[in-house]
Amino acid sequence: MVGITLGLVGSGGSILTVPIFVYVMGVDPILATTYSLFAVGTTAFIGSIRGVRNGDVDLSHVFHFGFPSLLTVFITRIFVLPLVPDVITIGSITVHQSVVLMLLFALVMLASSVSMIAPKTMLTNLFPKPTNGNKKTQVVLSGVLVGFVTGVVGAGGGFLIIPVLINFLHLSLRKAVATSLIIIAVNSFFGIMGDLEKFAVFDWSLLLRYTCCTIVGIFLGFSLAKKIKSDLLKKIFGYFIFAVAFSILLKELWG
């Protein structure tokens, strides 16, 4: 299912992979973010080859969006994430780092889902097409934001990249998917570079089996995408993200 969502809408891998590893397979949330970067990054890289061959990748956005994004991912994983204490105390409330991580993950997912579900006219008014003068700046800033979130929550960033590419930068869904897969792959691998010391504790059997399944899924997703209208895909994916985010909030706050 994770691979299929990547193939259909160029995103969704990490927002599903992290909860799957944490809640289904019992992996520690911090380690699960690294597992997610590996599995989703590998799958996105293999899937992106198809987009390059078909000429659907917007190389300008890959460079101006992707480079600031990957640099921010690397800085966040190396310098920012280690600063977050294992236990956070706010007044009389004590919260573990893993809970904060999953709550942040869910909130970002909610914001992303709204951007996919909202009517196109409303999004156009909120995010008008950038002019030639500020387009490059907007692309770079968007890349930095996505890179920071990717670094913190261990997500390849597709669930943020796709809304940005479609709603802010006004690419078609087909081009956005192809461009997103390359950016996800690059971001994921640079994120992993900040976690090399964790390789020694990886359950490689689990991780490689999972990754192989997502690779099969992405090609199934490519086939299904030809049969479903783009607008319908966006809304279905938006509601799906919303449901997953809501379930994470319930689990962490009242589970």
Side-chain angles (χ1 to χ4, degrees):
M1 289 304 297
V2 168
I4 288 172
T5 60
L6 278 169
L8 281 172
V9 289
S11 60
S14 299
I15 62 172
L16 298 175
T17 294
V18 172
I20 286 170
F21 277 128
V22 173
Y23 300 125
V24 179
M25 301 181 185
V27 177
D28 175 78
I30 306 302
L31 187 59
T33 65
T34 309
Y35 277 21
S36 172
L37 290 172
F38 180 91
V40 175
T42 302
T43 305
F45 172 74
I46 292 174
S48 68
I49 296 172
R50 174 180 176 272
V52 172
R53 291 177 60 187
N54 293 342
D56 292 331
V57 177
D58 189 319
L59 293 177
S60 173
H61 285 82
V62 168
F63 180 77
H64 293 112
F65 185 103
F67 182 72
S69 180
L70 70 88
L71 185 61
T72 307
V73 170
F74 189 71
I75 292 172
T76 302
R77 299 294 289 191
I78 290 289
F79 300 108
V80 177
L81 204 56
L83 297 178
V84 181
D86 291 335
V87 177
I88 300 169
T89 303
I90 305 173
S92 59
I93 301 173
T94 300
V95 184
H96 195 274
Q97 183 194 63
S98 61
V99 175
V100 174
L101 185 67
M102 296 307 294
L103 289 176
L104 176 62
F105 197 66
L107 292 174
V108 173
M109 287 170 65
L110 286 175
S112 176
S113 69
V114 170
S115 75
M116 299 295 278
I117 297 168
K120 193 171 183 178
T121 51
M122 187 183 86
L123 292 170
T124 302
N125 292 331
L126 287 174
F127 311 116
K129 193 170 183 177
T131 62
N132 291 331
N134 68 6
K135 183 174 182 180
K136 188 178 292 186
T137 301
Q138 189 168 336
V139 173
V140 170
L141 291 176
S142 299
V144 170
L145 174 62
V146 170
F148 178 75
V149 175
T150 298
V152 171
V153 302
F159 68 103
L160 289 174
I161 294 169
I162 287 293
V164 168
L165 293 178
I166 293 175
N167 300 324
F168 286 64
L169 308 177
H170 303 274
L171 292 184
S172 67
L173 180 62
R174 189 181 70 180
K175 284 188 174 291
V177 168
T179 304
S180 171
L181 289 176
I182 287 188
I183 297 172
I184 289 170
V186 174
N187 279 0
S188 297
F189 288 133
F190 267 79
I192 290 171
M193 293 300 291
D195 287 339
L196 290 178
E197 75 283 354
K198 294 180 183 176
F199 276 32
V201 296
F202 272 21
D203 183 343
W204 285 105
S205 174
L206 170 67
L207 184 56
L208 292 177
R209 279 183 291 153
Y210 183 91
T211 303
C212 287
C213 289
T214 59
I215 291 170
V216 172
I218 196 171
F219 287 102
L220 292 175
F222 287 151
S223 298
L224 290 172
K226 299 175 183 177
K227 304 174 184 179
I228 307 175
K229 291 183 179 179
S230 298
D231 288 342
L232 179 59
L233 269 179
K234 281 177 58 182
K235 288 192 179 296
I236 291 173
F237 185 58
Y239 283 114
F240 186 58
I241 295 175
F242 185 89
V244 175
F246 189 69
S247 66
I248 291 175
L249 287 175
L250 288 178
K251 173 73 175 177
E252 296 298 333
L253 295 175
W254 292 284

